[in-house]
Structures are given as C-alpha cells and as structure tokens.
Amino acid sequence: PIPSKSGQVCSPIQKLREELESLVLGCGAVWSKELEKDLPSSWQRHGDLVLLSEDSFRATLWGKMGQELWETVAGALGARRLARRGRVQSDLFRSPAVTLLLGEDSWVEQVDNGIRYRFDVMRCMLSPGNITEKLRIASLRCAGEVVVDLYAGIGYFTLPYLVHAGAAFVHACEWNPHAVEALQQNLELNGVQQRCLIHQGDNRKLELRDVADRVNLGLIPTSEEGWPVACRVLRKDVGGILHIHQNVESFPRKALQPGQDHQLPVPLEQEDKGVHEDNDIVLGAGGRALCPTAQSAWQKWAKTTGTQIRMLLQELDGKPWRTSILHIEHVKSYAPHVHHIVLDLECRPLS
C-alpha cells in the first residue's frame, strides 16, 4: 500500500536524529544510546532562531565537531540561527545565560496575541509559561485607567494593558538597561509609545504618588519589596487593584502519628476582618481543577498578603482601608510543590 502523506512526513526530532547520526558516522565515530539521549526533546523558536535547552549536547563528542554540528542542527530544525540557554543568573536583573552557537545577531522578534515583541535572547527573556497570564491581562477592561507596571521587562504585561485591555496610560518601571532598550522598541513597534512613560532604575526610588487605578507586580519568586511602592502609587481617593505575583509552596500534608493532635484551621471569624474574599476565587489557567492542598496554601498566603497590604495602606494614608481578594490565578508549576500564582487584590479606602 502507498503510505499516507502523514506517514511520509518526518518530524523535526526524527530528522534531527537521522542527520546527526549520519554526521557522527561520517566522522568515523559510533552512534550510541548516550548520544541519542543527549539530543533535545524540545526547544523554543523565535523567528529564525532556535533556542536549545541547557541539558542538550553535553557529550564530549559534540564538542569535537565544531561548527558543522550546529549547521546540521539548524538545518534539521529549519533555523538560520542557534543558541543554547543555561540557568538564569543570580544577578540583580535575573539575566539569561544564553550562548549563541550559530549566527551573529541575537535579537529576535515574536508575536503573541497580536503583540510584537523584540528582544535580545542573550540579555532578556520571554517566558512561554506566562502566556495564560498575558492573555488574562489582555482580557481585562481597563478603559480610562492609569496602570503602574513595577516590573515591566520588555513589556510582557505593559503591552497587553495598552494594546488589548485599553488602559489610558501605563507607567512602566524597569532597571535592566537591556530590557529598557527592548521595551522602547516594542512600544514603537505596537504604536503605543505615546501612552507609556518608562521609569528606568530601582522602582523603590520611584517618585510617583497617588496616580494608579491598577498596579502590576509581575516578579517571582516574590514581589514583596515592591508592595510599599504599589501602595504609594495607588490612588488615595478611590483606591484600585493590585495584581501580585508570587511563588507559593504547597507541600502535601503529612499523616498524623499516634498521639498527635489534629489542629483545626482558624475560623474566618477569628481572622482579619479587614480582608474580604469572594467565593470560587481560585482558578487554574484555563479553568483546570486544582489540588485542594495547593488551593488551601494559596488562600492562606492571599489572606496574609491582604492583611499586610491593608496595614501598609493605613500606615501611609493615616486612614482605614479595606482589601478584598477578588481572584487567585494559577499561572504555572514552577517546581515540585511550588506554583506561580497571581493574586488580584482590591484595595479601597473606608469613608
């Protein structure tokens, strides 16, 4: 029988394996299971540049093949440029550790939800795991609002606020000069540069006060250092909404040993009555069902955060405030029992 068209199509991974095996054999070496395990199972594509994972091509043999190896890999994956990422550096900017393997230029352009992003993959990041949160921000109704984005980066959330959510103006704070360069280009690429002001430098020194209807705190593992700044920029007459990102741990509960007492959770009546929460506030990306243990940990963190924010606002304003938990969004699993979540916290002054 004649094979179907789908049966004749060779997947990129199959093509990569076949071409590399041919290259290895042509060099007089032996193809092995170890070499096959060293091939990438996934990669990120940014236009004509493919970004390989850090755990690929680590075998000694690959290092002896020189540029021919990378030309073969790029050809098999349909790319002109090739790079490999490492672990995020522990510097102030959380810079990516990326090595350019093939090509001269590391600037790329990518389109997400109709928004154009340009950036240097060796100096900035665009996490594919945050796409659900960018889509959620894009769906918000922010017409007429002033937004302060405390960790703007290359415009991950700044641009969805401007392009899709209809924000009147965004103050974008960023201290990485490479990200600021990309952000400036991206604002112009998307035609929204007139509705955004970039504040370059440490946002803890931001001089803005009493301007924001909404504040985005998109930094993980925690944005806690930005909470006082968020409270200062929030409008004092009517308040507004904070979108607070955090990595929250939720380890499974251990079984009780004989003789141990079971501690019941503190009833809501005994908790801070200045923090309110709606029903059904916890949702996963796409509305997925979530682990009850994780939800409990997230709600506990959200309640504590609501109390801390309320106290900060009252200290700054000298008047009573109320905070309400509107929603908790699960963005992605960051590590075993660690989840990246976003708390939507409404903050209002009490008359």
Side-chain angles (χ1 to χ4, degrees):
I2 299 175
S4 65
K5 288 186 178 180
S6 60
Q8 298 175 36
V9 174
C10 183
S11 71
I13 292 178
Q14 289 174 317
K15 186 176 182 181
L16 178 64
R17 182 198 175 282
E18 290 173 2
E19 295 198 13
L20 287 177
E21 182 177 1
S22 176
L23 178 64
V24 168
L25 296 176
C27 293
V30 177
W31 183 257
S32 63
K33 289 183 178 180
E34 286 69 29
L35 290 177
E36 188 164 350
K37 288 180 181 178
D38 203 30
L39 301 184
S41 57
S42 62
W43 49 84
Q44 292 180 23
R45 186 179 296 275
H46 302 287
D48 66 353
L49 184 147
V50 164
L51 185 59
L52 302 170
S53 58
E54 62 181 294
D55 57 353
S56 59
F57 297 109
R58 293 301 183 188
T60 305
L61 178 62
W62 303 124
K64 298 178 180 179
M65 291 189 165
Q67 201 69 1
E68 187 178 5
L69 168 65
W70 306 126
E71 291 172 354
T72 302
V73 173
L77 300 181
R80 292 185 177 181
R81 296 178 292 165
L82 206 62
R84 180 170 58 199
R85 68 173 182 265
R87 295 187 180 277
V88 176
Q89 299 178 42
S90 56
D91 58 9
L92 293 175
F93 304 141
R94 297 188 74 245
S95 304
V98 173
T99 303
L100 191 63
L101 304 170
L102 183 67
E104 302 295 330
D105 179 19
S106 54
W107 278 82
V108 299
E109 182 172 327
Q110 182 166 322
V111 179
D112 279 348
N113 193 28
I115 298 174
R116 296 170 65 186
Y117 296 90
R118 265 184 58 80
F119 61 102
D120 185 344
V121 294
M122 296 185 68
R123 302 188 183 278
C124 305
M125 293 186 296
L126 183 67
S127 173
N130 294 341
I131 184 62
T132 56
E133 181 61 11
K134 285 189 285 187
L135 292 172
R136 190 174 78 93
I137 293 300
S139 71
L140 297 177
R141 296 178 180 178
C142 302
E145 291 187 356
V146 173
V147 177
V148 174
D149 188 352
L150 286 181
Y151 306 96
I154 67 170
Y156 317 105
F157 301 113
T158 293
L159 290 166
Y161 276 118
L162 290 167
V163 175
H164 294 306
F169 198 85
V170 174
H171 292 276
C173 307
E174 179 55 46
W175 67 355
N176 181 342
H178 304 295
V180 168
E181 181 184 2
L183 176 57
Q184 289 170 333
Q185 291 191 35
N186 293 333
L187 290 169
E188 294 175 7
L189 278 173
N190 292 279
V192 292
Q193 67 272 25
Q194 299 300 321
R195 292 160 49 214
C196 182
L197 178 62
I198 299 175
H199 301 265
Q200 184 172 351
D202 189 340
N203 64 25
R204 290 170 294 186
K205 300 177 182 178
L206 187 66
E207 295 184 358
L208 280 179
R209 298 288 189 278
D210 191 19
V211 297
D213 299 288
R214 193 179 297 266
V215 184
N216 204 81
L217 297 103
L219 180 68
I220 56 173
T222 181
S223 61
E224 191 165 354
E225 285 194 354
W227 296 359
V229 186
C231 291
R232 288 199 297 269
V233 301
L234 205 61
R235 288 178 58 177
K236 297 302 179 286
D237 55 348
V238 295
I241 296 173
L242 308 183
H243 299 283
I244 307 172
H245 292 235
Q246 181 83 10
N247 279 354
V248 177
E249 296 182 350
S250 55
F251 292 100
R253 295 173 182 169
K254 295 181 180 179
L256 292 175
Q257 299 298 319
Q260 285 185 315
D261 293 328
H262 181 75
Q263 293 185 333
L264 294 173
V266 178
L268 288 178
E269 305 86 62
Q270 298 179 28
E271 296 182 359
D272 185 354
K273 294 184 179 181
V275 181
H276 300 259
E277 56 184 314
D278 293 340
N279 294 323
D280 302 323
I281 58 170
V282 182
L283 286 176
R288 294 193 302 270
L290 298 168
C291 170
T293 301
Q295 289 193 41
S296 176
W298 304 344
Q299 287 177 305
K300 181 179 179 181
W301 171 80
K303 193 85 172 179
T304 301
T305 299
T307 298
Q308 290 180 260
I309 295 293
R310 184 175 62 81
M311 292 174 66
L312 280 169
L313 286 165
Q314 291 179 172
E315 183 180 346
L316 285 167
D317 197 32
K319 299 176 183 177
W321 281 68
R322 165 178 169 168
T323 55
S324 302
I325 299 170
L326 300 180
H327 179 76
I328 300 171
E329 181 75 7
H330 176 248
V331 180
K332 63 180 181 291
S333 175
Y334 189 84
H337 308 296
V338 180
H339 297 267
H340 174 185
I341 66 171
V342 181
L343 165 65
D344 295 349
L345 189 70
E346 184 179 41
C347 309
R348 302 296 179 194
L350 295 176
S351 56

